Structures are given as C-alpha cells and as structure tokens.
Amino acid sequence: MKAIRFSQAGGPEVLEFVDVDLAPPGPGEARVRHTVIGVNFIDTYHRSGLYRLPLPSGLGTEAAGVVEAVGAGVTGLKAGDRVAYAGALGAYAEAANVAADRLVSLPAGVSDETAAAALLKGMTAQYLLKRTYAVQPGQTILFHAAAGGVGLIAGQWARHLGATVIGSVGDDGKIPLAQANGYAHVLNTRGGDWVRQVRDLTGGEGVPVVYDSIGRDTFAGSIDCLAVRGLMVSFGNASGAVPPVDPGLLSARGSLYLTRPTLASYTRNGRELRETADDLFAAIAAGVVNIAVNQRFPLSEARAAHEALHSRATTGATVLIP
Ligand SMILES: NC(=O)c1ccc[n+]([C@@H]2O[C@H](COP(=O)([O-])OP(=O)(O)OC[C@H]3O[C@@H](n4cnc5c(N)ncnc54)[C@H](OP(=O)(O)O)[C@@H]3O)[C@@H](O)[C@H]2O)c1
C-alpha cells in the first residue's frame, strides 16, 4: 500500500509518499482501510521533531474507514464495520492496523469525512470545555486559534453551554468565520493589545479560564487575561514550546491554576473513549456543532497540507484522501 513516511525530522519536505507492506492485523488489532484521514497540528510537531518519534516513522493519528480484517481475540468488530480512530500513529496511509479498543464505531448519521475531521478535534473540545474546566452559563472565556480545527468546534460548543466566548485569530480575514461559529468577540493576536481588550471586555476582572494552544507567543499574555484563581489551560504549542514556568508567577497573578492536558489522558480506557466520542456524535447529530472541512488534499500531497497548516493559511479541519 501507499503511505507517508519520514526518516528525519524537518519541514514538510521530509515527507515521502512511498510503497510499504502492511502485515495482517496482530492479536487485538483490526485492519482499517482508510477512506478519509484527519490532519492535526500534532502531526507537524511529530514531523518537526518538537515531539520526538523513533525514525523512520509513519505520521498522522486520525482516520475513518472500514474494518477489513481482525486479529486474534478481537470481539465486537467485524469486516465491513465503519470506524474511526484518533491517537494511533501511522494514519497517513491507505490502511493501518489499529488496537481494536481504540476504534470508535461510526453512527449512520456521521459521514467518514466528518469523523476524520472531527474525532480528534471534537473530543478535544469536549474534554476541554466539560472536564478540564466545566464551562458554566454566563461565563466569559477566552479560546485561542478560534478559526482553526479545534477552535471552530469549541466556539460553537462553548456558546451552546451558555458562555460568552472571546476568540483569537492571527488574521482579520478569519474574524467573520469565528463570529459565525460561536465567538461573541474576536481579537487579533498579531495586531493590537489583545490582553487589554480581554480586560476591557470583562470589566477589568479577567476571564475564569483561558484555552491556549498557541504556546510560546501567547502564554504570558494569556496569564495576564485571567481573573483571580483562574485556570490557564495550555493545550498546544503552534508557535513553539512554552518555556519553563516559575510557580511564583501563579501566586503573583492571584492564585492561578495551570494545567497541560492531553486527549490521551482524557480517553484513557475504552469507556472514557466511548463516552467522549458519544458526546461528540450527539452534539453533531443535534446540530450543536457543525464540522467544517475547509481543505482537502490527496494523501500523496501531505506536504502541501502541512505547508498550509504551518503557514496559518487553513481554517477549520483539513483532511487527506487516500
Ligand atoms: N492537548 C490536546 O489534547 C490537543 C488536542 C488537539 C489539538 N491540540 C492543539 O490545539 C491546537 C489546534 O489544533 P488544530 O489541529 O485544530 O490546528 P489549527 O487550530 O487548525 O491550526 C493551528 C492554528 O494556530 C494558530 N497559530 C498561532 N501561531 C502560530 C504559528 N506560529 N504557527 C502556526 N500556527 C499558529 C493559527 O491560527 P491563527 O493564525 O488564526 O492564529 C493556526 O491556524 C494545536 O496547537 C494543537 O497542538 C491539543
């Protein structure tokens, strides 16, 4: 089969579209024939070496498709079942062997494209807004990268939960899209004093929670946006890793909390994975969140997808078609 592989960390040019052999599924695994593959910012961290992988390696952690075969000991799944996964490495390929307990069955109303675009990003929005910090009606919150893949889902969901959502973008051209997806106020982090704007929008109080996936460029400003005893949720590093933090900063700014969550630790076992995915699928079915697939590339052009993501040119979700 064809797959994207890379043998050294670097820019999008290290990605190669090559022929590889796929073994039959091992014990506890199912082989999934991919129909649509999700592109996520974490794929760029793996490729660049910010998150180190043993090389050579496959890439990508999210796809939807059809079960082709199951390995020894797999029950509850059979050839022909529609499934998706988020979190197993090697998704940039025509097929993959995936641990059966990491596969989510797709409801009839969720298309393969929606699943590949939304499973990882939507489950992330789910745990961030409901479990890392349970957003309450009437609260005003700040969510960075509002027009991105996670951002467009989170804006809609947070508004549905009753929050007034402030979003950030890096380009004024993305403001209308963010506004149409739940954000009451949209600030530009590449122009203007966005920290002052957040303070002004909250009567000087600050927000109870900031969701910051931009990392290095926004971390300090996000801390300054928090109300006393507020929670800083640092969940990504699109602009680079956050430098070490002195706990004294949290006390000086008013007994703040800081967490650095991952989807893996909020979907630790089959039950948590199913509950999180079911909540997302219910939100999609109810129209609480609409999934925007705004970029599609052939699998062979994964490099171009990475260039678009890296250059901040994308909005919503990006998918690869094998
Ligand atoms: N911890 C977790 O569980 C978890 C799970 C999923 C995703 N994430 C994180 O959530 C974030 C969003 O993921 P996504 O896949 O939906 O990506 P995305 O939001 O579609 O793309 C990243 C966005 O970050 C913004 N950005 C700011 N500074 C940037 C820079 N220097 N270079 C590139 N982009 C920059 C850009 O938006 P603007 O130009 O509008 O600022 C860009 O569109 C990522 O940081 C990702 O790592 C974390």
PDB file of all heavy atoms in Angstrom, residues 35-48:
ATOM      1  N   THR A  35     -10.733   5.713   4.429  1.00  0.00           N
ATOM      2  CA  THR A  35     -11.442   6.462   3.381  1.00  0.00           C
ATOM      3  C   THR A  35     -11.106   7.947   3.465  1.00  0.00           C
ATOM      4  O   THR A  35     -11.036   8.614   2.433  1.00  0.00           O
ATOM      5  CB  THR A  35     -12.963   6.264   3.497  1.00  0.00           C
ATOM      6  OG1 THR A  35     -13.350   6.536   4.858  1.00  0.00           O
ATOM      7  CG2 THR A  35     -13.361   4.847   3.131  1.00  0.00           C
ATOM      8  N   VAL A  36     -10.917   8.457   4.680  1.00  0.00           N
ATOM      9  CA  VAL A  36     -10.545   9.859   4.895  1.00  0.00           C
ATOM     10  C   VAL A  36      -9.600   9.902   6.097  1.00  0.00           C
ATOM     11  O   VAL A  36      -9.797   9.185   7.083  1.00  0.00           O
ATOM     12  CB  VAL A  36     -11.783  10.750   5.181  1.00  0.00           C
ATOM     13  CG1 VAL A  36     -11.386  12.227   5.180  1.00  0.00           C
ATOM     14  CG2 VAL A  36     -12.904  10.512   4.183  1.00  0.00           C
ATOM     15  N   ILE A  37      -8.572  10.750   5.990  1.00  0.00           N
ATOM     16  CA  ILE A  37      -7.556  10.856   7.044  1.00  0.00           C
ATOM     17  C   ILE A  37      -7.594  12.272   7.607  1.00  0.00           C
ATOM     18  O   ILE A  37      -7.630  13.248   6.839  1.00  0.00           O
ATOM     19  CB  ILE A  37      -6.162  10.560   6.436  1.00  0.00           C
ATOM     20  CG1 ILE A  37      -6.116   9.116   5.889  1.00  0.00           C
ATOM     21  CG2 ILE A  37      -5.058  10.797   7.473  1.00  0.00           C
ATOM     22  CD1 ILE A  37      -5.067   8.905   4.813  1.00  0.00           C
ATOM     23  N   GLY A  38      -7.564  12.396   8.920  1.00  0.00           N
ATOM     24  CA  GLY A  38      -7.583  13.724   9.548  1.00  0.00           C
ATOM     25  C   GLY A  38      -6.167  14.277   9.690  1.00  0.00           C
ATOM     26  O   GLY A  38      -5.238  13.543  10.009  1.00  0.00           O
ATOM     27  N   VAL A  39      -6.028  15.570   9.424  1.00  0.00           N
ATOM     28  CA  VAL A  39      -4.744  16.249   9.632  1.00  0.00           C
ATOM     29  C   VAL A  39      -4.869  17.091  10.904  1.00  0.00           C
ATOM     30  O   VAL A  39      -5.853  17.819  11.070  1.00  0.00           O
ATOM     31  CB  VAL A  39      -4.397  17.160   8.431  1.00  0.00           C
ATOM     32  CG1 VAL A  39      -3.108  17.935   8.694  1.00  0.00           C
ATOM     33  CG2 VAL A  39      -4.286  16.336   7.157  1.00  0.00           C
ATOM     34  N   ASN A  40      -3.887  16.948  11.779  1.00  0.00           N
ATOM     35  CA  ASN A  40      -3.915  17.684  13.047  1.00  0.00           C
ATOM     36  C   ASN A  40      -2.578  18.365  13.287  1.00  0.00           C
ATOM     37  O   ASN A  40      -1.545  17.916  12.787  1.00  0.00           O
ATOM     38  CB  ASN A  40      -4.208  16.720  14.200  1.00  0.00           C
ATOM     39  CG  ASN A  40      -5.618  16.200  14.125  1.00  0.00           C
ATOM     40  OD1 ASN A  40      -6.566  16.905  14.439  1.00  0.00           O
ATOM     41  ND2 ASN A  40      -5.772  14.969  13.648  1.00  0.00           N
ATOM     42  N   PHE A  41      -2.635  19.427  14.084  1.00  0.00           N
ATOM     43  CA  PHE A  41      -1.396  20.179  14.297  1.00  0.00           C
ATOM     44  C   PHE A  41      -0.320  19.321  14.947  1.00  0.00           C
ATOM     45  O   PHE A  41       0.875  19.516  14.705  1.00  0.00           O
ATOM     46  CB  PHE A  41      -1.661  21.458  15.105  1.00  0.00           C
ATOM     47  CG  PHE A  41      -0.798  22.587  14.639  1.00  0.00           C
ATOM     48  CD1 PHE A  41      -1.161  23.373  13.558  1.00  0.00           C
ATOM     49  CD2 PHE A  41       0.425  22.833  15.239  1.00  0.00           C
ATOM     50  CE1 PHE A  41      -0.334  24.375  13.085  1.00  0.00           C
ATOM     51  CE2 PHE A  41       1.260  23.835  14.783  1.00  0.00           C
ATOM     52  CZ  PHE A  41       0.878  24.616  13.700  1.00  0.00           C
ATOM     53  N   ILE A  42      -0.723  18.316  15.731  1.00  0.00           N
ATOM     54  CA  ILE A  42       0.279  17.450  16.370  1.00  0.00           C
ATOM     55  C   ILE A  42       1.127  16.736  15.318  1.00  0.00           C
ATOM     56  O   ILE A  42       2.308  16.437  15.568  1.00  0.00           O
ATOM     57  CB  ILE A  42      -0.381  16.436  17.337  1.00  0.00           C
ATOM     58  CG1 ILE A  42       0.685  15.753  18.206  1.00  0.00           C
ATOM     59  CG2 ILE A  42      -1.221  15.424  16.588  1.00  0.00           C
ATOM     60  CD1 ILE A  42       0.118  14.877  19.309  1.00  0.00           C
ATOM     61  N   ASP A  43       0.553  16.523  14.128  1.00  0.00           N
ATOM     62  CA  ASP A  43       1.328  15.863  13.067  1.00  0.00           C
ATOM     63  C   ASP A  43       2.550  16.713  12.704  1.00  0.00           C
ATOM     64  O   ASP A  43       3.604  16.170  12.345  1.00  0.00           O
ATOM     65  CB  ASP A  43       0.467  15.635  11.818  1.00  0.00           C
ATOM     66  CG  ASP A  43      -0.853  14.929  12.125  1.00  0.00           C
ATOM     67  OD1 ASP A  43      -0.961  14.310  13.208  1.00  0.00           O
ATOM     68  OD2 ASP A  43      -1.773  15.005  11.285  1.00  0.00           O
ATOM     69  N   THR A  44       2.407  18.039  12.792  1.00  0.00           N
ATOM     70  CA  THR A  44       3.543  18.919  12.473  1.00  0.00           C
ATOM     71  C   THR A  44       4.599  18.866  13.581  1.00  0.00           C
ATOM     72  O   THR A  44       5.781  19.005  13.311  1.00  0.00           O
ATOM     73  CB  THR A  44       3.104  20.378  12.227  1.00  0.00           C
ATOM     74  OG1 THR A  44       2.742  21.000  13.465  1.00  0.00           O
ATOM     75  CG2 THR A  44       1.945  20.472  11.252  1.00  0.00           C
ATOM     76  N   TYR A  45       4.152  18.659  14.842  1.00  0.00           N
ATOM     77  CA  TYR A  45       5.132  18.520  15.937  1.00  0.00           C
ATOM     78  C   TYR A  45       5.933  17.229  15.764  1.00  0.00           C
ATOM     79  O   TYR A  45       7.127  17.186  16.026  1.00  0.00           O
ATOM     80  CB  TYR A  45       4.462  18.488  17.314  1.00  0.00           C
ATOM     81  CG  TYR A  45       3.491  19.602  17.651  1.00  0.00           C
ATOM     82  CD1 TYR A  45       2.399  19.346  18.471  1.00  0.00           C
ATOM     83  CD2 TYR A  45       3.670  20.899  17.202  1.00  0.00           C
ATOM     84  CE1 TYR A  45       1.494  20.338  18.819  1.00  0.00           C
ATOM     85  CE2 TYR A  45       2.765  21.905  17.542  1.00  0.00           C
ATOM     86  CZ  TYR A  45       1.682  21.609  18.353  1.00  0.00           C
ATOM     87  OH  TYR A  45       0.795  22.591  18.700  1.00  0.00           O
ATOM     88  N   HIS A  46       5.220  16.150  15.363  1.00  0.00           N
ATOM     89  CA  HIS A  46       5.925  14.877  15.128  1.00  0.00           C
ATOM     90  C   HIS A  46       6.920  15.032  13.975  1.00  0.00           C
ATOM     91  O   HIS A  46       8.042  14.570  14.043  1.00  0.00           O
ATOM     92  CB  HIS A  46       4.916  13.767  14.791  1.00  0.00           C
ATOM     93  CG  HIS A  46       4.135  13.292  15.976  1.00  0.00           C
ATOM     94  ND1 HIS A  46       2.807  12.927  15.917  1.00  0.00           N
ATOM     95  CD2 HIS A  46       4.494  13.116  17.272  1.00  0.00           C
ATOM     96  CE1 HIS A  46       2.389  12.541  17.104  1.00  0.00           C
ATOM     97  NE2 HIS A  46       3.389  12.650  17.949  1.00  0.00           N
ATOM     98  N   ARG A  47       6.463  15.678  12.890  1.00  0.00           N
ATOM     99  CA  ARG A  47       7.326  15.833  11.709  1.00  0.00           C
ATOM    100  C   ARG A  47       8.544  16.707  12.018  1.00  0.00           C
ATOM    101  O   ARG A  47       9.668  16.404  11.610  1.00  0.00           O
ATOM    102  CB  ARG A  47       6.506  16.465  10.565  1.00  0.00           C
ATOM    103  CG  ARG A  47       7.199  16.483   9.230  1.00  0.00           C
ATOM    104  CD  ARG A  47       6.733  17.686   8.413  1.00  0.00           C
ATOM    105  NE  ARG A  47       7.197  18.901   9.008  1.00  0.00           N
ATOM    106  CZ  ARG A  47       6.452  19.979   9.234  1.00  0.00           C
ATOM    107  NH1 ARG A  47       5.191  20.026   8.899  1.00  0.00           N
ATOM    108  NH2 ARG A  47       6.980  21.039   9.810  1.00  0.00           N
ATOM    109  N   SER A  48       8.335  17.805  12.767  1.00  0.00           N
ATOM    110  CA  SER A  48       9.430  18.754  13.002  1.00  0.00           C
ATOM    111  C   SER A  48      10.407  18.271  14.070  1.00  0.00           C
ATOM    112  O   SER A  48      11.513  18.794  14.176  1.00  0.00           O
ATOM    113  CB  SER A  48       8.862  20.109  13.440  1.00  0.00           C
ATOM    114  OG  SER A  48       8.344  20.014  14.755  1.00  0.00           O
TER     115      SER A  48
END
